[in-house]
Amino acid sequence: MRVLVIGSGAREHALLLALSKDPQVTGLVIAPGNAGTARLAEQRNVDITNADEVVALARDVSADLVVIGPEVPLVLGVADAVRAAGLVCFGPSKAAARIEGSKAFAKEIMAAAGVRTARSEIVDNPARLDEALDRFGPPAGDPAWVVKDDHLAAGKGVVVTPDREAARSHAAGLLDTGHPVLLESFLDGPEVSLFCVVDGETVVPLLPAQDFKRVGEGDTGPNTGGMGAYAPLPWLPDDVYREVVSQIVEPVAAEMVRQSSPFSGLLYVGLAITAKGPAVVEFNCRFGDPETQAVLALLESPLGQLLYAAGAGKLAEFGELRWRDGAAVTVVVAAENYPGRPRVGDTVIGSEASGVLHAGTARRDDGAIVSSGGRVLSVVGTGADLVEARAQAYDILRSIKLAGSHFRTDIAQRAAEGKISV
Ligand code: GLY
């Protein structure tokens, strides 16, 4: 099986690595990729948001399966074009990708499926902002305001704050640029990212993971695309995991079929485990980054065959997934100034070590690997438990040199110390 992967992050590097271990995968191509993925796959450069270019590439490289990593091409309907060309695609249709692309659609599906989620309101008129803010945050008895960009914002459009002025200023800034704002009630409790391979009403859940969205130690500072992750979650009871699958994911998948927008691909459920039980923070229509880097490090089942089965409408025949024992921890190395405008073009040393996945990297004409984006590398450690996996990840990190870069030193620490409970 020849597989074309679309994307250029560490998530796509992790997908390629797992695909390369599947005995049925005979060829890998990536577009556009990065300096790390070039070691595993033929690298091609197309505009991944242009459906015609992606289809032409898939035909040119004789792809048996196209795997679309990022949300933007999915929301634009690239998977529909790939399927219309008669090819097998892992990734939802434009209609189904609205579960991520349109917060209003996601809320509608959740309401129809009876799924617990935050109370919310869309504000698109700046004159209505102040009265809407009064219905959320401390005036409404919530500890904080949750203000989200209603457009795709690579994880950086969310501000959670007890400071009304900060909430107001973020919302006003979004409205100024023409983006509607979503105000939500605050969901209190540890967060879980659960990835499910979905094919219509068939749901195959992966290991649960947790990611770290804030840039600073102890969950401080602005939101990022993700600074680290770990899997599985030793503190998440099995019955809560099963409840999420049977009371949230399966009803949502069934509702999407009922509404004639069946989901086929990876449904990412972001949850908070509140005192009243699990509640949905968000849905995404693709693998999460950086959780994928940790989750796939533990997968033993053949990934190419799994994704092909989902894309071909045969997921129900695939059976249960197999996982290796133990834990995995991913730590993201970010460029100076990230999540602001990152400094790029610096030499990266040590990025060829095992366990290092590339994101914002490029190869210079002289052969050196240089930074080319905000999140530069994902370092993955594995071990018998989170303590060992953390130790391995931070050990690898010691050999990486990138001027001005930063990473969090507390990824998975509280979980490893048994300090998270539900
Ligand atoms: N880890 C957050 C995301 O992928 O959206």
Side-chain angles (χ1 to χ4, degrees):
M1 181 193 331
R2 289 180 56 76
V3 187
L4 167 63
V5 174
I6 299 295
S8 62
R11 165 183 55 203
E12 284 75 24
H13 195 167
L15 285 165
L16 284 180
L17 194 61
L19 286 165
S20 71
K21 294 178 182 156
D22 182 332
Q24 285 194 14
V25 172
T26 52
L28 287 169
V29 182
I30 185 157
N34 58 46
T37 58
R39 297 203 299 270
L40 288 168
E42 179 188 340
Q43 209 99 339
R44 298 289 288 263
N45 203 2
V46 295
D47 173 0
I48 64 167
T49 62
N50 182 320
D52 293 341
E53 287 191 31
V54 173
V55 169
L57 174 62
R59 287 209 173 106
D60 190 44
V61 301
S62 307
D64 301 297
L65 170 66
V66 179
V67 178
I68 301 180
E71 61 276 20
V72 173
L74 292 167
V75 167
L76 292 173
V78 172
D80 305 71
V82 172
R83 284 195 192 92
L87 299 166
V88 176
C89 185
F90 184 80
S93 65
K94 179 175 182 172
R98 287 180 298 160
I99 195 97
E100 175 166 2
S102 160
K103 307 254 177 348
F105 176 73
K107 291 286 182 190
E108 208 180 289
I109 293 283
M110 283 188 268
V115 163
R116 189 183 303 123
T117 183
R119 182 171 63 84
S120 68
E121 207 174 301
I122 299 260
V123 183
D124 54 12
N125 178 351
R128 293 267 152 82
L129 177 59
D130 283 304
E131 60 188 71
L133 284 168
D134 287 341
R135 291 190 282 274
F136 293 86
D142 266 349
W145 280 274
V146 180
V147 182
K148 295 185 177 176
D149 187 343
D150 196 39
H151 287 189
L152 295 178
K156 289 178 268 180
V158 184
V159 162
V160 179
T161 175
D163 175 351
R164 185 188 176 102
E165 224 7 77
R168 191 180 189 292
S169 143
H170 181 58
L174 292 170
L175 289 166
D176 271 354
T177 55
H179 290 200
V181 165
L182 185 80
L183 298 181
E184 283 194 335
S185 59
F186 180 76
L187 292 173
D188 203 6
E191 292 199 357
V192 174
S193 301
L194 182 66
F195 300 165
C196 297
V197 178
V198 173
D199 163 18
E201 297 203 24
T202 307
V203 172
V204 175
L206 276 62
L207 289 181
Q210 188 178 57
D211 75 341
F212 293 75
K213 296 192 173 80
R214 304 277 193 141
V215 73
E217 306 284 317
D219 295 323
T220 53
N223 263 25
T224 68
M227 293 299 291
Y230 66 95
L233 308 179
W235 48 266
L236 184 70
D238 274 353
D239 58 338
V240 178
Y241 174 82
R242 282 196 297 271
E243 180 188 342
V244 170
V245 176
S246 65
Q247 305 298 311
I248 295 177
V249 193
E250 289 176 351
V252 161
E255 182 58 30
M256 292 185 78
V257 171
R258 207 185 62 77
Q259 294 205 15
S260 305
S261 43
F263 194 95
S264 169
L266 195 289
L267 185 59
Y268 166 144
V269 195
L271 303 141
I273 310 300
T274 73
K276 291 187 192 146
V280 173
V281 175
E282 63 178 357
F283 282 106
N284 293 317
C285 65
R286 38 80 198 173
F287 280 100
D289 188 341
E291 299 98 312
T292 299
Q293 293 87 304
V295 171
L296 292 186
L298 300 171
L299 182 69
E300 278 188 348
S301 299
L303 183 68
Q305 292 168 56
L306 171 67
L307 304 188
Y308 188 90
K314 294 186 174 155
L315 185 62
E317 295 163 25
F318 192 82
E320 290 232 331
L321 299 182
R322 286 177 284 106
W323 299 96
R324 70 186 254 199
D325 288 337
V329 171
T330 300
V331 182
V332 169
V333 179
E336 182 173 323
N337 203 38
Y338 177 81
R341 189 191 175 93
R343 165 173 148 175
V344 295
D346 290 300
T347 312
V348 187
I349 308 287
S351 67
E352 279 164 23
S354 158
V356 179
L357 300 171
H358 288 224
T361 64
R363 199 173 278 280
R364 217 167 42 196
D365 289 346
D366 65 1
I369 290 179
V370 294
S371 56
S372 63
R375 290 189 294 170
V376 181
L377 303 171
S378 273
V379 175
V380 184
T382 53
D385 56 21
L386 287 174
V387 173
E388 277 190 16
R390 266 174 58 74
Q392 189 181 78
Y394 285 109
D395 196 41
I396 299 169
L397 268 159
R398 270 198 287 277
S399 59
I400 291 173
K401 305 278 177 277
L402 169 61
S405 65
H406 56 99
F407 59 84
R408 280 182 59 167
T409 64
D410 63 347
I411 302 300
Q413 185 171 0
R414 292 187 64 243
E417 290 170 352
K419 289 187 177 154
I420 304 181
S421 58
V422 292

